Amino acid sequence: MELKGTYIQTIFKANDSSFRVILIKVNKKTYTISGNFPNLEEGLNYKFIGDFVEHIKYGKQFKATNYQKDEDSTNGLINYLASDKFYGIGKKLATNIVKTLGNDALKKISEDKTNLDKVKGLTEAKKTLLYETIKNINEIDDIYIALYNLGLTNKMATKLYDEYGINTLAIIKNNPYCLIYDVEGFGFKKADNLALNLGIEKDNPNRIKEAILYCLDELCYKDGNVFIYINDLLKEVNNYLELNVDLINKSLSNLIENNRIKNINDNIYPNNLYNAEFNCANSLNRLLKYPSKKYDDKLIDNILKDIEHKENIKYTNMQKTALQQVLNDKVAIITGGPGTGKTTIVKGIIKLYSKLNKIKENPDILLLAPTGRAAKRLKESCNLEAYTIHRGLGYDYNGQFTYNSDNFLPYSLIIVDESSMIDIELANKLLSAINPKSSLIFIGDENQLPSVGPGEFLHDLIASDLFKTYRLNEIMRQANNSNIIKLANMVLKQNIDDSIFKAHDEVFFYNAFPNNFKTLLRRLLDNYLDKGNDLKNIQILIPLYSGICGIDEINKFIQDNYNLNKSICLKTKEKIYYVGDKVLQLQNNPEKGIMNGDIGYIIDIFDDTLGIDFNGKIVRITRADLENLTLAYAISVHKSQGSEYENVIFPIFNSYSIMLKKKLIYTAITRAKKKLILVGDLETLKNKIKYKEKLRNSSLINFLAKKELTPYDFL
């Protein structure tokens, strides 16, 4: 619907976008309107397009999706021309202009400057300045209207104008695909839709090239591959564009010739992923060439005996072997499942290294982990400050890293926990910042899911046989009776003994079907709450986002039934948020100090923003940032990596088949500390752990094997 009125004032303006809440006057009545309004002039009339909505806190308001200037009222136009925007035109001259030229004075002036000759009291200089000012304002309005007509929202149009200014239309008409690289939020699909609306031909070479780059990135990042086989890429592009394959081949060859992508034996790499693997190999080989520090074996044994005595612990044979040797290695890997004492060995390494080097406060040791939650656990267990890899490398507001190949990390020993989560690009950032004099230890569980991003970093390090790998395979005494650990090992051995569920100790299995999962889930949660427990101590892990048992549906179900704070909300097109909601951050935001995977709780909703407590750090999230936030009562298994939860509920249905594989099931099970509740079909569980998983496409092992690399290798 349309609403016409005179703009009075802005009552709220977002700092980081064009979103405003404004007041307009329609006859004698005042209306509140919200939307993206980059260019409003007080006193002028506007036509707003949208609908009335009911805001829980602020009441009825008109939510505008679009707007444009309307016919101006006499008084509003006089006030507008007399404003500071028009230098030298006061109230008297403004009145004279409107009386002479009428309410469409602005249109007449912009169409023909000589219309101002009819107005008495205007000097030639004032005529010229007035004409140019109105023309510039109209040009901006014309740009916005043209962008609206191309199907862009006000927010998207504002992003374009902020980037290109008065040249916006000329630039996007020349090559709309430049938006992919210049304007945040414009991926290939948005740019392509705009291009087609502009009349770009479907077989335009720029379109084909950008489609190839888009499909290559999609295939790599969707499945974690570093490269894609050429035939698979051509098939994907052909399905998307439905064009002659010769045209696609020609554009692919052009991209390769211009070094925008790499072709190594018909394996096609995005440049950034090729360079990441190449540089990782260079950095690791550089580390191996530098001599490691050697310690006296007898001294190490004596210190370890002293640690065991003082800490009242007994290291397993493999733990002791690792501790005796690991500090003599330049790069080492320690891998093991739950209960094998990875945390214990990290604590032992810290104490041993400190005593060997006579360090009292460990300033020379850096502890890192991929996520904030994993870093927090590491800090608490080792009683030593630990950081996310991003924070340890000095990730700043501009997305740059303080520590890099030109400025090494100032530590002699660097220990990286949860290394299975490290993708190849983050690995490259980390390795490039490590001084060749330093020693590096990776800790992780090789049986867990690989990283969300591309690469098989930990797997490739182990498989290369270049680095000493210590496998912890003995369950420590205190974890020996854990049914959660027993079940995890059954999954690894691909043979589940049903009796583990009959013991009703730590591990439980409830039969269910997708259509009655919510009913069973409610019974489980109600029973848990009736015992005085808090839902904050339960995490639901689900393999897929879509479907009746998907993450999105279960999050909505939990929110609807268990968050009773419904008095205030912040609503988007897709989601609604209330105070008390559990939420998950989906992208790194260095400016606010929150990272992808951080979980928090909404503590207040005020002025179209959310106040969220991320583990003690209070952050305000504006409406513009809500696309990077989601509910977290249920999360994916991938997002749970690096975390542990008191209690885990994990549904297993055949409808999840595409994701249900041994590593995912193992990872989900090992997230639980006290109680694990499996819901679904036991036969599906037994069958899926036997599924042979395909390794991702990566080349790190090949790069590592070369040992002497130059920038021209493999080209």
Side-chain angles (χ1 to χ4, degrees):
M1 64 178 294
E2 293 181 356
L3 187 64
K4 296 180 180 180
T6 306
Y7 167 58
I8 303 172
Q9 69 178 102
T10 294
I11 57 175
F12 171 78
K13 187 178 186 307
N15 293 325
D16 52 359
S17 72
S18 60
F19 179 81
R20 298 191 201 182
V21 180
I22 65 169
L23 297 179
I24 69 166
K25 185 166 281 188
V26 182
N27 297 323
K28 294 183 178 181
K29 191 170 182 180
T30 300
Y31 289 91
T32 301
I33 301 189
S34 63
N36 289 291
F37 310 122
N39 193 30
L40 292 174
E41 304 295 344
E42 193 173 324
L44 291 189
N45 286 359
Y46 291 90
K47 177 171 67 177
F48 299 92
I49 300 161
D51 284 297
F52 281 103
V53 296
E54 189 69 32
H55 192 286
I56 289 179
K57 183 175 181 181
Y58 301 109
K60 189 176 182 180
Q61 59 181 235
F62 190 83
K63 188 175 182 180
T65 56
N66 214 328
Y67 78 105
Q68 62 188 60
K69 199 179 292 181
D70 199 29
E71 288 186 3
D72 302 302
S73 66
T74 300
N75 288 336
L77 184 55
I78 291 171
N79 290 333
Y80 175 55
L81 286 168
S83 69
D84 293 340
K85 187 175 286 293
F86 301 97
Y87 181 76
I89 307 295
K91 193 71 173 272
K92 185 177 179 180
L93 274 178
T95 303
N96 201 12
I97 291 168
V98 175
K99 279 186 177 180
T100 304
L101 299 179
N103 280 0
D104 58 348
L106 297 178
K107 183 180 178 183
K108 288 177 179 176
I109 295 167
S110 65
E111 288 176 347
D112 187 353
K113 179 185 171 184
T114 61
N115 279 321
L116 288 171
D117 294 341
K118 304 171 187 176
V119 181
K120 294 180 181 180
L122 280 176
T123 64
E124 285 302 318
K126 285 183 180 179
K127 289 178 188 178
T128 300
L129 185 58
L130 180 59
Y131 168 74
E132 289 178 351
T133 303
I134 291 172
K135 186 180 176 184
N136 286 337
I137 291 171
N138 285 346
E139 281 181 351
I140 295 172
D141 288 341
D142 289 344
I143 289 169
Y144 272 89
I145 290 167
L147 294 175
Y148 297 152
N149 289 335
L150 289 170
L152 297 183
T153 64
N154 195 284
K155 184 177 179 181
M156 291 162 68
T158 301
K159 280 188 175 183
L160 265 65
Y161 185 79
D162 286 347
E163 180 67 29
Y164 301 126
I166 209 74
N167 299 313
T168 299
L169 292 177
I171 289 171
I172 65 171
K173 284 177 181 177
N174 179 57
N175 179 16
Y177 297 101
C178 66
L179 301 178
I180 298 169
Y181 308 99
D182 295 346
V183 183
E184 185 182 353
F186 272 84
F188 170 75
K189 286 190 173 181
K190 279 185 182 177
D192 192 43
N193 186 56
L194 179 60
L196 294 174
N197 285 339
L198 282 165
I200 295 263
E201 296 294 330
K202 290 188 175 182
D203 60 356
N204 181 287
N206 281 336
R207 180 172 188 256
I208 299 173
K209 288 175 193 173
E210 294 302 336
I212 291 170
L213 294 171
Y214 166 74
C215 290
L216 179 58
D217 271 355
E218 281 290 295
L219 289 172
C220 284
Y221 284 88
K222 181 181 73 173
D223 296 323
N225 295 309
V226 174
F227 65 82
I228 301 299
Y229 299 115
I230 191 168
N231 289 335
D232 292 340
L233 176 60
L234 289 172
K235 182 180 177 182
E236 184 75 9
V237 177
N238 193 39
N239 287 341
Y240 188 89
L241 294 178
E242 297 181 344
L243 292 173
N244 186 297
V245 86
D246 290 336
L247 288 173
I248 298 172
N249 267 317
K250 184 178 178 181
S251 290
L252 178 61
S253 297
N254 184 274
L255 287 169
I256 294 165
E257 287 167 10
N258 287 284
N259 202 31
R260 293 188 67 187
I261 56 178
K262 298 284 190 299
N263 179 6
I264 314 298
N265 301 323
D266 283 345
N267 298 334
I268 309 298
Y269 298 73
N271 279 348
N272 60 311
L273 298 183
Y274 174 90
N275 292 334
E277 281 204 327
F278 178 91
N279 292 332
C280 276
N282 255 347
S283 297
L284 286 164
N285 283 325
R286 183 193 70 220
L287 277 170
L288 290 178
K289 286 176 185 175
Y290 203 93
S292 61
K293 194 170 182 179
K294 299 299 178 183
Y295 296 97
D296 181 74
D297 292 344
K298 191 172 181 180
L299 178 58
I300 288 175
D301 287 341
N302 288 337
I303 293 173
L304 288 177
K305 286 176 184 176
D306 184 56
I307 293 172
E308 283 185 312
H309 175 72
K310 287 182 178 177
E311 301 290 329
N312 192 28
I313 59 172
K314 180 68 177 173
Y315 293 122
T316 65
N317 292 332
M318 194 64 237
Q319 283 179 326
K320 187 168 285 188
T321 299
L323 286 166
Q324 288 168 334
Q325 299 176 18
V326 73
L327 291 179
N328 292 315
D329 301 320
K330 198 66 185 161
V331 180
I333 301 159
I334 299 173
T335 182
T340 57
K342 295 190 297 295
T343 300
T344 300
I345 208 169
V346 173
K347 290 162 68 176
I349 290 169
I350 293 169
K351 291 181 184 296
L352 178 59
Y353 183 85
S354 299
K355 287 182 180 293
L356 286 170
N357 292 279
K358 298 178 181 174
I359 299 171
K360 291 184 178 179
E361 295 184 6
N362 303 305
D364 207 28
I365 302 173
L366 177 63
L367 300 184
L368 298 173
T371 69
R373 285 167 290 162
K376 181 172 182 278
R377 277 179 36 229
L378 188 60
K379 174 185 175 181
E380 290 171 349
S381 60
C382 296
N383 196 28
L384 179 63
E385 192 61 63
Y387 306 93
T388 63
I389 296 174
H390 280 84
R391 188 178 171 199
L393 294 175
Y395 190 56
D396 64 21
Y397 295 165
N398 299 314
Q400 301 298 315
F401 292 88
T402 302
Y403 296 104
N404 49 49
S405 57
D406 296 319
N407 183 30
F408 292 139
L409 287 162
Y411 300 91
S412 296
L413 176 63
I414 298 166
I415 301 173
V416 189
D417 198 12
E418 297 289 354
S419 298
S420 64
M421 297 177 64
I422 303 174
D423 63 61
I424 196 64
E425 291 182 283
L426 184 56
N428 177 37
K429 296 294 184 186
L430 171 63
L431 292 170
S432 67
I434 293 177
N435 192 316
K437 297 178 182 180
S438 304
S439 293
L440 182 59
I441 300 173
F442 291 106
I443 313 287
D445 186 346
E446 62 183 322
N447 292 307
Q448 278 191 40
L449 283 168
S451 58
V452 174
E456 289 269 12
F457 180 67
L458 182 62
H459 167 273
D460 289 350
L461 291 193
I462 295 171
S464 73
D465 284 332
L466 288 175
F467 313 101
K468 192 67 177 289
T469 300
Y470 303 93
R471 283 189 169 87
L472 306 179
N473 45 32
E474 297 177 62
I475 304 298
M476 295 190 71
R477 187 178 60 226
Q478 54 269 47
N480 224 1
N481 295 320
S482 169
N483 278 338
I484 293 173
I485 292 173
K486 287 178 183 176
L487 179 61
N489 286 319
M490 288 178 188
V491 169
L492 293 180
K493 293 173 183 175
Q494 300 176 308
N495 185 20
I496 292 178
D497 181 353
D498 294 8
S499 65
I500 195 167
F501 302 119
K502 296 172 184 175
H504 297 290
D505 182 16
E506 293 187 313
V507 174
F508 303 82
F509 198 103
Y510 295 93
N511 291 309
F513 297 99
N515 59 5
N516 70 356
F517 173 52
K518 289 179 185 174
T519 302
L520 177 57
L521 182 60
R522 173 175 270 176
R523 196 166 79 236
L524 290 170
L525 296 179
D526 286 349
N527 182 55
Y528 183 75
L529 292 172
D530 287 345
K531 294 178 180 177
N533 297 308
D534 191 326
L535 277 190
K536 287 183 178 181
N537 293 322
I538 285 186
Q539 184 60 61
I540 303 170
L541 303 180
I542 298 179
L544 287 174
Y545 279 88
S546 59
I548 61 170
C549 297
I551 292 168
D552 293 335
E553 184 65 25
I554 298 306
N555 269 324
K556 186 176 183 303
F557 171 77
I558 301 292
Q559 184 190 57
D560 288 346
N561 290 279
Y562 292 95
N563 187 346
L564 304 179
N565 300 309
K566 299 290 199 303
S567 57
I568 302 174
C569 75
L570 184 57
K571 194 173 184 180
T572 69
K573 187 176 180 181
E574 297 86 13
K575 293 175 183 146
I576 186 166
Y577 296 99
Y578 301 102
V579 172
D581 273 337
K582 184 179 184 180
V583 292
L584 173 75
Q585 176 69 14
L586 298 173
Q587 283 193 1
N588 292 339
N589 188 331
E591 187 174 352
K592 295 185 184 296
I594 49 177
M595 308 299 284
N596 183 359
D598 284 351
I599 286 180
Y601 291 87
I602 299 173
I603 56 175
D604 68 62
I605 300 175
F606 180 71
D607 277 349
D608 239 27
T609 66
L610 301 177
I612 305 177
D613 182 348
F614 285 102
N615 195 31
K617 181 181 180 64
I618 310 301
V619 175
R620 296 219 71 81
I621 299 293
T622 66
R623 182 177 285 276
D625 292 323
L626 288 182
E627 62 186 1
N628 297 322
L629 199 72
T630 190
L631 293 172
Y633 299 108
I635 64 173
S636 70
V637 180
H638 283 87
K639 290 291 186 185
S640 75
Q641 282 181 273
S643 298
E644 287 183 338
Y645 310 99
E646 293 290 304
N647 307 286
V648 167
I649 297 176
F650 180 46
I652 299 172
F653 298 114
N654 202 46
S655 55
Y656 300 144
S657 276
I658 193 170
M659 294 296 294
L660 280 177
K661 297 170 186 174
K662 184 174 74 171
K663 282 193 172 183
L664 183 136
I665 294 168
Y666 172 84
T667 303
I669 288 170
T670 54
R671 299 310 89 203
K673 289 168 66 177
K674 290 185 177 179
K675 188 176 289 188
L676 171 70
I677 298 175
L678 303 178
V679 177
D681 177 32
L682 189 55
E683 287 308 307
T684 296
L685 172 63
K686 290 180 178 180
N687 290 333
K688 292 302 177 183
I689 62 173
K690 294 175 183 176
Y691 182 87
K692 188 173 182 180
E693 297 181 57
K694 180 185 172 186
L695 281 174
R696 296 170 166 187
N697 299 338
S698 70
S699 303
L700 183 57
I701 296 173
N702 296 333
F703 284 144
L704 285 166
K706 289 211 46 118
K707 296 192 179 177
E708 295 291 340
L709 292 171
T710 71
Y712 304 101
D713 280 346
F714 299 98
L715 295 179

